[in-house]
Amino acid sequence: MKIEDYYNSYDEENRLMSRYGMVEFITTMHYIEKYITADSRIIEIGAGTGRYSHALAKEGYCVDAVELVEHNIDIFKEKITPDENITIRQGNAMDLSDFKDNKYDITLLLGPMYHLFTEEEQIRALSEAYRVTKQGGIIFSAYCMGDATILTYGFLRNKIKEIMSDCRLNDSFDRFISPWGIFQLYRKEDIISLRNKFNVKSLHLVGTDGYSNHMRETLENMDEETFKLYLKYHLATCERADMLGISHHTLDIFRKE
């Protein structure tokens, strides 16, 4: 599988430890903490190497994790400590039949939507996340954004002609298909359209890394005080509609009604 080959050689754990990756992690945790309570039961679907699952388990929460890629599961298991109330099993976001209906207060779908290329697959994954979440529970669904990819990979890295040819990018720059078979890219209207197929209440649509991925080198060279100011600015602006398109990652947060 292309996805397994990709994650077998990609260091996802250290990506979230870099300055630009930390912005995404800190922002996501900031919003999780808005809704989590002391007795919240959490599921993370597509948990990767466990950066979020372990952080939450170490804070005392009960976490069940599901991950597709065996390599990521091996790393996840190596990091489990005796004080963590956490489980990990291999599974697919589109089939969570091992999990009961209406079980979780917090459902994290922070990776699978990156890799699902048809609307049918996307709806199946969201349907499963919706099913296992309690009524009144909160679902966090993450997406990769198309315009940020056009700007950084296309123009900053001088790959725009390749993208327009290989990805069949149209002259409106609003629809293209990834030839790499790894990442599905979205726009705000795509995310809203998927969410509106379910009986949910929208809470937040967040650009989790904002402009960070466009300024990696600048962030890495910032002193700590300036980086804290940048984080303060980012958290103050990350829900602004006019900022969403520049973010590489977005987080759609909604309540199951």
Side-chain angles (χ1 to χ4, degrees):
M1 293 176 64
K2 288 184 178 180
I3 293 173
E4 289 185 351
D5 292 341
Y6 176 81
Y7 283 107
N8 283 342
S9 59
Y10 183 73
D11 191 353
E12 173 68 9
E13 180 76 5
N14 281 332
R15 181 187 76 83
L16 290 173
M17 297 298 290
S18 66
R19 272 275 176 83
Y20 75 90
M22 283 172 62
V23 174
E24 179 189 344
F25 176 79
I26 290 167
T27 305
T28 301
M29 290 295 290
H30 171 78
Y31 280 91
I32 292 171
E33 287 163 2
K34 282 180 177 289
Y35 295 100
I36 203 165
T37 61
D39 58 350
S40 288
R41 186 71 186 259
I42 304 163
I43 184 169
E44 184 176 10
I45 306 161
T49 57
R51 183 78 171 89
Y52 291 98
S53 288
H54 285 295
L56 291 165
K58 288 184 186 304
E59 291 182 11
Y61 298 106
C62 180
V63 181
D64 292 325
V66 183
E67 169 58 27
L68 179 66
V69 179
E70 193 68 46
H71 172 73
N72 287 341
I73 294 172
D74 290 341
I75 296 172
F76 189 111
K77 288 180 176 177
E78 288 174 0
K79 297 188 298 178
I80 295 176
T81 57
D83 61 317
E84 293 180 348
N85 188 358
I86 194 168
T87 69
I88 175 69
R89 70 179 74 185
Q90 188 169 32
N92 190 308
M94 294 183 289
D95 180 10
L96 300 176
S97 52
D98 288 343
F99 297 91
K100 295 179 180 179
D101 296 357
N102 306 307
K103 182 175 181 179
Y104 295 98
D105 304 283
I106 301 288
T107 296
L108 306 178
L109 190 70
L110 301 181
M113 302 302 285
Y114 299 171
H115 307 298
L116 300 176
F117 296 97
T118 68
E119 185 175 295
E120 178 185 2
E121 291 175 329
Q122 294 157 8
I123 291 172
R124 282 171 61 191
L126 285 169
S127 295
E128 283 293 80
Y130 182 87
R131 179 183 63 79
V132 301
T133 305
K134 293 178 182 178
Q135 186 173 6
I138 311 298
I139 300 169
F140 298 74
S141 184
Y143 297 86
C144 293
M145 301 299 280
D147 288 297
T149 298
I150 292 171
L151 289 168
T152 53
Y153 186 78
F155 289 107
L156 286 178
R157 300 183 189 178
N158 197 28
K159 299 287 186 179
I160 189 61
K161 294 176 183 177
E162 176 185 324
I163 288 178
M164 293 195 76
S165 173
D166 293 350
C167 304
R168 290 172 276 166
L169 182 60
N170 64 27
D171 288 339
S172 298
F173 298 93
D174 60 353
R175 287 290 181 274
F176 60 99
I177 299 171
S178 169
W180 307 288
I182 298 295
F183 291 101
Q184 173 66 21
L185 303 170
Y186 299 81
R187 278 190 160 190
K188 178 182 176 182
E189 55 266 34
D190 303 322
I191 298 168
I192 293 172
S193 176
L194 287 167
R195 182 214 304 143
N196 285 346
K197 298 182 187 304
F198 299 88
N199 182 23
V200 299
K201 177 179 175 55
S202 175
L203 300 172
H204 310 275
L205 184 55
V206 182
T208 46
D209 49 19
Y211 201 66
S212 305
N213 226 347
H214 306 279
M215 50 185 287
R216 293 187 185 190
E217 185 176 348
T218 300
L219 286 177
E220 294 300 331
N221 291 326
M222 275 183 185
D223 60 76
E224 193 63 30
E225 183 180 2
T226 305
F227 182 60
K228 287 179 180 178
L229 283 172
Y230 175 77
L231 283 173
K232 186 175 181 179
Y233 165 79
H234 168 72
L235 289 171
T237 60
C238 62
E239 288 192 54
R240 274 177 36 187
D242 60 326
M243 301 287 278
L244 285 175
I246 63 170
S247 187
H248 274 77
H249 300 89
T250 55
L251 187 62
D252 193 25
I253 307 171
F254 45 93
R255 177 183 290 114
K256 179 177 177 177
E257 296 290 89

